[in-house]
Amino acid sequence: MIVRIMGEGQVKLADSHFAELNELDDLLLKEMDSGDGPGFRTTLNALLDKVRELGAALPDDSLEPSELILPAPDATLEEVRAMLSDDGLIPN
């Protein structure tokens, strides 16, 4: 799956990693629901770091369609909330 991190670029990520990413996504949803700003920031950065760690960066000139778009590391809670689906940022 091709994942875009807004403001950074794209990574190719194996579907087998989504269970691990979903755990962070679920925690992010809980923190957003409770208004835990510091927790939200920590978990968002952990989620993006995990995508970077597990994925293979695509060249900047690559024009692959992104199947999943994640917010930039400095996105606000409100910006991320606008990107959410019922499943969070990462589909189950």
Side-chain angles (χ1 to χ4, degrees), residues 2-3 5 11 15 17 23-24 26 34 36 58 76 78 87 90-91:
I2 305 298
V3 179
I5 298 175
V11 296
D15 291 344
H17 296 299
E23 291 178 23
L24 289 167
D26 291 344
S34 70
D36 180 359
L58 295 178
T76 66
E78 292 77 24
D87 289 336
I90 300 176

Side-chain angles (χ1 to χ4, degrees), residues 4 14 16 18 22 25 33 37 44-45 50 66 68 86:
R4 173 173 297 283
S16 61
F18 280 88
N22 269 320
D25 190 40
D33 287 344
L44 175 60
N45 284 318
K50 188 58 73 174
S66 299
L68 180 61
D86 291 338

Side-chain angles (χ1 to χ4, degrees), residues 8 11 13-14 18 31 34 49 53 56 58 62 69 82-83 85:
E8 289 188 22
V11 296
L13 191 64
F18 280 88
E31 292 164 343
S34 70
D49 287 345
E53 173 190 329
L58 295 178
S62 177
I69 299 175
M83 295 178 71
S85 70

